Amino acid sequence: MNIRLAETRDIGELVDFNQAMALETEGKRLDGETLLNGVSAVFADDRKGFYVVAEQNETIVGGLMVTYEWSDWRNKWFWWIQSVYIVPEERGKGIYRRLYDFVKTAAEHEEVCGFRLYVEHENVNAQRVYSKVGMDESIYLMFEEKT
């Protein structure tokens, strides 16, 4: 298995992964054009973040996106892990761990103070995976206002 930074040639798979994840976790069908533009925007502007993919036999079987949050309290960055998706037939094989290890290694030479992610309250399988790789439940609740 090869874990690598995603490239523009991977945009189609990343769009498909996001579509599948939204449907699976929230029962939502995302607008394809908006999603394509959103994924493509990350490749066009590295200030937005980056994608990492897991490739097996030249097929992408998983991926995630990292975005950035500046912490004035720490004078360093939090890296937010988003859009995590592993194809169903490859789940439970340690692919997320390998993706996360890649991200942590990439952060070693950056001003990163920690890693964060969102997970649905009901997604206990994902919560177990995140705990196994060393992440703890945060003390914070999330609030939002959609516009």
Side-chain angles (χ1 to χ4, degrees):
M1 179 159 303
N2 182 34
I3 308 297
R4 62 174 174 79
L5 289 174
E7 301 171 1
T8 55
R9 65 184 164 103
D10 304 319
I11 289 174
E13 285 92 343
L14 294 167
V15 168
D16 291 346
F17 286 176
N18 277 285
Q19 235 1 321
M21 178 185 52
L23 189 58
E24 181 179 321
T25 61
E26 298 182 31
K28 291 183 180 178
R29 294 193 186 278
L30 303 177
D31 178 73
E33 184 177 344
T34 300
L35 183 53
L36 175 60
N37 290 336
V39 171
S40 298
V42 175
F43 290 93
D45 181 358
D46 61 3
R47 294 174 301 163
K48 287 183 169 60
F50 62 92
Y51 285 94
V52 178
V53 293
E55 191 174 51
Q56 186 170 325
N57 300 322
E58 299 183 22
T59 300
I60 297 175
V61 295
L64 58 79
M65 179 178 65
V66 173
T67 60
Y68 315 112
E69 173 192 355
W70 181 251
S71 173
D72 54 351
W73 287 10
R74 295 165 184 88
N75 194 32
K76 292 186 179 183
W77 294 99
F78 277 102
W79 278 10
W80 280 87
I81 297 172
Q82 300 185 52
S83 301
V84 176
Y85 188 77
I86 309 297
V87 297
E89 59 272 16
E90 298 297 327
R91 293 178 186 166
K93 298 180 180 178
I95 293 172
Y96 176 75
R97 175 180 295 279
R98 294 186 64 184
L99 289 164
Y100 186 52
D101 287 346
F102 183 96
V103 169
K104 290 193 305 185
T105 298
E108 288 175 0
H109 304 290
E110 304 292 333
E111 295 179 30
V112 176
C113 59
F115 306 94
R116 291 178 169 167
L117 56 76
Y118 302 108
V119 62
E120 297 282 328
H121 291 284
E122 298 81 23
N123 194 344
V124 293
N125 289 333
Q127 292 171 33
R128 275 194 291 268
V129 169
Y130 303 142
S131 291
K132 283 183 184 179
V133 300
M135 299 184 93
D136 297 313
E137 186 175 333
S138 174
I139 62 170
Y140 300 107
L141 289 174
M142 188 180 93
F143 288 78
E144 70 179 345
E145 179 179 356
K146 298 178 183 176
T147 59

